Amino acid sequence: MLRKFTKLGLLLGLLASSLVFSQAGNVGINTPNPGSTIDINGSVAANYTAINTASYNLNSADFHVSYNGTANAVFNLPAAINGVGNFKGRMYTIKNNTNFTVTLNSAAPETINGNTSIVVPANQSIQLINTGLTGANSTWEIVSASASAGNYTASNGLSMSGTDVKLGGTLSQPTNIATAGNNLSINGTGKILVGTNTVPAGSANSKIVIDNGTNNGALQIKDGTQQLGYVLTSDANGLATWSSTVTTAFANNWTKYTGTLTNPFTGNAGGDNLPTGISVNIPAKGWYFFRSGITITSTCNDYWFYIGGIGEVWKAYCGTASPDPINFVPRDQTRVLYFAAPGIYPVVAHKTNFVVPTGFNGGNPAFYLDFVKFQN
């Protein structure tokens, strides 16, 4: 008997060296001054269970359950208990070590964060805690989930699948992308489609497609230059602003030719594309009003200045043949020409036959040619 009491005393002594109970009711393990209900100065071990079967019911003995099976699995959570036996605060960690899925079901009508079930994707894990609630309540809450356990869709148009976060989820709330001064670029050979997910006919080379069906107003651009009746026009760099289709202030917008005029009619034969040494610099496509004046003194012949592929800017036909040179009239002429693209356009000349004028560019004022854009 003495030996038994001696062994019991020895055992109690060993326990006393490890467990310390404070007056406040706290329990300390390997610490003399526990600051919490249980204060452990050392490692903690909990039950580890490895499952290979495709169906498993979690129970009170489980803490960490790893799935290592060869097919999609279904794990069932225990039903909540009201009153004695309530396991509020119980925690489960489920780790999926396979390339399959684990569907985690709550006991009806209970839920997990409002869902009757969640999915733990391949090679992911999730940790749950019991709320102590019963009935149609969130009996379980998700404490943590790696990457995308549950395959949730984010509220800002992202979706998660496994470890992959993808664009393409449902946008379920207003979303603002604040670039904070950074550029947002979309590169590649694809297209941006608005209002449709089908590339319409004729859009093979388009980068942005807007399909508003039969409704007016598919595009709105406001930059302060917009006004009723204005059209969107581009500068040489493709920068677009709103502008009027008609230029009204002609007097302030005239542009003259560039270069130095030379007499193109000195040859003893006729011909086209005779160089004049001058050109016009057209800033943008559209309709232009030209005015020009030149004096030519000659016997009967035809003379004119023109822009190849566009049209003439000055022209004089021989009227009545005369043995003596006369001044060709009218001296001052106007034209309306359309240019399909901006650029520098040479002004060339035409002479019908071998007649060389006896006078060129005489009078006052001397030769002039200027132009103004008046409509897109």
Side-chain angles (χ1 to χ4, degrees), residues 268-319:
N268 290 322
D272 289 319
N273 292 311
L274 303 176
T276 66
I278 63 175
S279 60
V280 291
N281 188 354
I282 301 299
K285 72 174 184 178
W287 291 93
Y288 289 79
F289 187 86
F290 278 76
R291 63 186 182 186
S292 61
I294 188 172
T295 299
I296 293 180
T297 305
S298 177
T299 57
C300 190
N301 199 1
D302 301 328
Y303 306 95
W304 62 81
F305 281 34
Y306 67 97
I307 299 173
I310 304 297
E312 63 191 43
V313 294
W314 185 92
K315 191 170 188 177
Y317 285 112
C318 175

Side-chain angles (χ1 to χ4, degrees), residues 2 6 17 46 51-52 69 106 118 121 142 160 176 202 227 233 235 248 279 283 305 312 317 327 342 351 358:
L2 181 59
T6 302
S17 65
I51 299 298
N52 295 317
S106 59
I118 60 174
I142 298 175
M160 297 179 287
N176 176 56
Q227 291 191 41
T233 56
D235 65 7
T248 56
S279 60
F305 281 34
E312 63 191 43
Y317 285 112
N327 290 333
K351 182 164 71 78
T358 59

Side-chain angles (χ1 to χ4, degrees), residues 261-265 294-297 305 357-362 367:
L261 177 67
T262 59
N263 186 353
F265 305 126
I294 188 172
T295 299
I296 293 180
T297 305
F305 281 34
T358 59
F360 176 80
N361 196 24
F367 170 78

